[in-house]
Amino acid sequence: AQSVTQPDIHITVSEGASLELRCNYSYGATPYLFWYVQSPGQGLQLLLKYFSGDTLVQGIKGFEAEFKRSQSSFNLRKPSVHWSDAAEYFCAVGARGSGGSNYKLTFGKGTLLTVNP
Amino acid sequence: GAVVSQHPSRVICKSGTSVKIECRSLDFQATTMFWYRQFPKKSLMLMATSNEGSKATYEQGVEKDKFLINHASLTLSTLTVTSAHPEDSSFYICSARGVAGQGAYEQYFGPGTRLTVT
């Protein structure tokens, strides 16, 4: 079965600084990879996704992520963080479950981003 | 496009009562919808996969008699929490699977429903 690890529970950066949120996955084949952002009390908004092709993907709000197969990683980056980026960020892998069960998303535990002025 | 709504956004109910949460895909037809539960400061836990016109598939450990899921049309799935108890208080989020092609591997999320059982 697939799994996702987000090693950092909470990250604090200053506004204008660069950001990298880490994500590692475990899956036997190439998975579909996603980054979502969630503001308090809200649903999830898709930032970007990787299915195949170019391993550097661009998303909304100036975010990008790079798929590195050798490291089983899909880290999220932003060159200059804005105060409005403060939120919870979830990495997810899409794959069929064990035993050929339905395709589903498996989420990491999330990284809370705090932005200092 | 690909907008998913949930109703209500917040609900408070008394212990022992049942509450229904609706999930609608507004501008596309969703043959598959998913229901998640999110505890405070925790990740999303998949509860069940809802397929239009058939029985839902529940994840291990989720009580199907307590969390009733109905997906009667291509744009509506409902989650009914029966005989709710305070431990059922949580944030419930639905998602709808996209249509054919790469969209079939994406999920579009609703804004969530905050359930408080008193």
Side-chain angles (χ1 to χ4, degrees):
Chain A
Q2 62 270 32
S3 66
V4 179
T5 301
Q6 292 180 246
D8 304 305
I9 297 173
H10 187 189
I11 284 183
T12 300
V13 299
S14 298
E15 191 169 17
S18 63
L19 171 69
E20 181 169 36
L21 302 182
R22 296 183 290 165
C23 173
N24 292 95
Y25 70 89
S26 173
Y27 184 60
T30 300
Y32 301 111
L33 295 163
F34 306 85
W35 274 100
Y36 289 90
V37 60
Q38 183 182 34
S39 297
Q42 302 295 314
L44 275 69
Q45 181 182 23
L46 178 67
L47 287 175
L48 46 77
K49 61 185 183 260
Y50 173 78
F51 287 170
S52 64
D54 193 346
T55 56
L56 183 63
V57 293
Q58 303 296 322
I60 62 171
K61 304 185 179 186
F63 285 94
E64 67 177 25
E66 186 171 12
F67 169 59
K68 292 186 177 180
R69 183 190 304 274
S70 61
Q71 299 177 19
S72 297
S73 69
F74 189 56
N75 294 348
L76 181 72
R77 300 195 293 251
K78 186 170 184 178
S80 177
V81 171
H82 188 262
W83 64 267
S84 60
D85 294 324
E88 185 94 28
Y89 290 79
F90 292 96
C91 180
V93 56
R96 290 196 176 274
S98 57
S101 59
N102 289 338
Y103 171 88
K104 59 185 179 180
L105 292 182
T106 299
F107 288 85
K109 295 189 174 183
T111 298
L112 177 64
L113 174 65
T114 298
V115 181
N116 287 334
Chain B
V3 178
V4 176
S5 70
Q6 276 184 248
H7 178 79
S9 57
R10 291 177 176 270
V11 58
I12 301 173
C13 70
K14 292 189 176 183
S15 186
T17 62
S18 297
V19 61
K20 180 186 288 188
I21 302 170
E22 293 185 347
C23 177
R24 294 183 185 271
S25 56
L26 298 185
D27 50 1
F28 66 104
Q29 293 183 330
T31 57
T32 304
M33 289 183 172
F34 303 86
W35 287 96
Y36 295 85
R37 182 172 179 176
Q38 186 178 32
F39 293 97
K41 301 187 185 300
K42 296 290 186 182
S43 186
L44 280 74
M45 180 192 78
L46 179 65
M47 299 174 66
T49 301
S50 166
N51 292 297
E52 187 267 337
S54 64
K55 290 184 178 180
T57 303
Y58 290 82
E59 295 298 301
Q60 192 172 7
V62 178
E63 299 176 62
K64 56 183 164 184
D65 294 331
K66 179 167 188 62
F67 298 100
L68 300 179
I69 291 172
N70 183 279
H71 194 159
S73 79
L74 287 172
T75 59
L76 173 65
S77 175
T78 60
L79 168 69
T80 301
V81 183
T82 62
S83 186
H85 290 281
E87 57 265 30
D88 299 323
S89 298
S90 192
F91 194 57
Y92 293 88
I93 304 177
C94 74
S95 70
R97 188 170 175 176
V99 294
Q102 287 192 339
Y105 299 105
E106 292 191 41
Q107 291 182 24
Y108 304 97
F109 286 82
T113 297
R114 171 72 60 194
L115 169 63
T116 303
V117 185
T118 61

